[in-house]
Amino acid sequence: PLPACRTAGGCDDFDPGAVFRVLTTHVEPYYTMPWSTSPQTTSAASAFALIDATGGRLLLTNAHAVHHASLVELQRPGEDSKLLARVVCQGPECDLALLEVEPGDAEAFWEGVEPLHLGGALPSLNDRVKVCGYPVGGENASVTEGVVSRVEMQPYRHGLGSLLAIQIDAAINPGNSGGPVWDARRRCVGVAFQSLRDGETENIGYVIPAEVVEHFVAGYRRSGRYAGFGHHGFAWQPLDSRALSEALGASQGGVLVKRVEPTAPAARVLKERDVLTSIGGRA
């Protein structure tokens, strides 16, 4: 039987059977003495079954959950047994990874599992969302609920850059990493991956949006490996000043192109002092 979810609002609208516990043994490289190895460490995270645009089934988690993994095991809800898995693709920039169950266990693992579908559109501010995973403090799946409070570029702690992220006020604790986030229409709108812990804030969690997940998965399907993310190749500044916006004839706002790298693809379509009001049809 599937375990009950722990949530204040109930979880009768969601079946946690597609969300799994990930148990990883890590061995960090010993860079100063490469002939030796660092002590092993263990961690627990979450993963979930997903159907991509081609109709294929995937197991998705966070890259930091399986970073330098020497052993990855998956545990189905309500079961004590663990199945061996391997990492087939890691995206350090977007903190996403794909797992695969060992061929001999695949049929038994997927039996009765209904993978989730990604919702392509970004959620709006104040939309209610729920997070499912296996955080510390218990063995069963846990569901927390909150609202979308911000959608903007954020630094990804596991990578070196910034990508689009959704900020929510639902609790995201250690172990929640890699769990799905879904909205009131039961669309999977993203993947839980980090929270802000600075000693001054509470309940600020971040979600990798579905469109970042789709880009990561599409790149893997296309090339069989991590395909990365493009670099825009120009420096910009927001048009916060009303005087500057009027001087440039951009009363609707946008961003000002300050510098374009000559070897970047953007050099073919942009020049300094251009004003961008939308990208990909999105302001």
Side-chain angles (χ1 to χ4, degrees):
L2 293 175
C5 296
R6 299 186 286 109
T7 172
C11 64
D12 16 346
D13 60 340
F14 180 75
D15 179 3
V19 185
F20 312 99
R21 197 175 191 190
V22 182
L23 303 170
T24 307
T25 301
H26 309 263
V27 180
E28 296 278 343
Y30 208 150
Y31 295 106
T32 57
M33 293 190 292
W35 58 87
S36 182
T37 57
S38 301
Q40 291 185 348
T41 59
T42 59
S43 69
S46 304
F48 66 97
L50 176 73
I51 287 185
D52 67 4
T54 67
R57 298 180 301 187
L58 299 168
L59 286 170
L60 188 69
T61 188
N62 284 140
H64 75 258
V66 292
H67 190 51
H68 296 313
S70 62
L71 176 68
V72 180
E73 296 176 300
L74 289 173
Q75 193 173 26
R76 285 174 51 129
E79 296 184 6
D80 294 328
S81 61
K82 304 176 183 69
L83 299 176
L84 288 177
R86 66 185 185 93
V87 181
V88 295
C89 183
Q90 284 192 69
E93 285 176 283
C94 58
D95 199 3
L96 291 170
L98 295 175
L99 306 178
E100 186 176 79
V101 179
E102 292 296 331
D105 297 323
E107 186 175 348
F109 175 82
W110 286 105
E111 185 179 355
V113 174
E114 294 188 16
L116 306 180
H117 293 263
L118 278 178
L122 283 169
S124 302
L125 295 183
N126 294 321
D127 277 1
R128 300 203 70 81
V129 294
K130 293 183 180 182
V131 182
C132 184
Y134 292 85
V136 293
E139 297 296 321
N140 291 341
S142 171
V143 175
T144 54
E145 185 174 2
V147 299
V148 175
S149 51
R150 186 178 291 161
V151 180
E152 64 180 14
M153 300 291 285
Q154 289 285 347
Y156 280 36
R157 197 175 301 154
H158 184 66
L160 298 176
S162 296
L163 290 172
L164 194 64
I166 302 167
Q167 180 181 312
I168 61 175
D169 66 357
I172 296 180
N173 295 307
N176 268 128
S177 296
V181 180
W182 71 98
D183 62 8
R185 287 177 281 179
R186 301 186 65 181
R187 303 177 307 163
C188 180
V189 296
V191 182
F193 77 114
Q194 68 185 31
S195 58
L196 179 61
R197 300 181 183 276
D198 58 3
E200 299 179 358
T201 56
E202 294 182 1
N203 286 354
I204 295 183
Y206 294 100
V207 175
I208 302 170
E211 62 181 56
V212 174
V213 178
E214 287 173 344
H215 179 89
F216 167 71
V217 171
Y220 169 72
R221 288 296 194 195
R222 186 172 57 250
S223 60
R225 57 185 176 83
Y226 176 56
F229 287 75
H231 175 56
H232 50 65
F234 64 92
W236 56 274
Q237 73 173 69
L239 291 178
D240 295 331
S241 166
R242 183 176 177 182
L244 179 59
S245 298
E246 292 177 350
L248 294 169
S251 57
Q252 74 275 30
V255 296
L256 172 66
V257 177
K258 297 178 62 178
R259 177 177 52 83
V260 181
E261 296 175 9
T263 57
R268 291 180 241 163
V269 293
L270 294 177
K271 61 182 184 298
E272 289 185 18
R273 296 183 65 81
D274 277 351
V275 175
L276 302 181
T277 57
S278 67
I279 296 178
R282 184 174 297 162

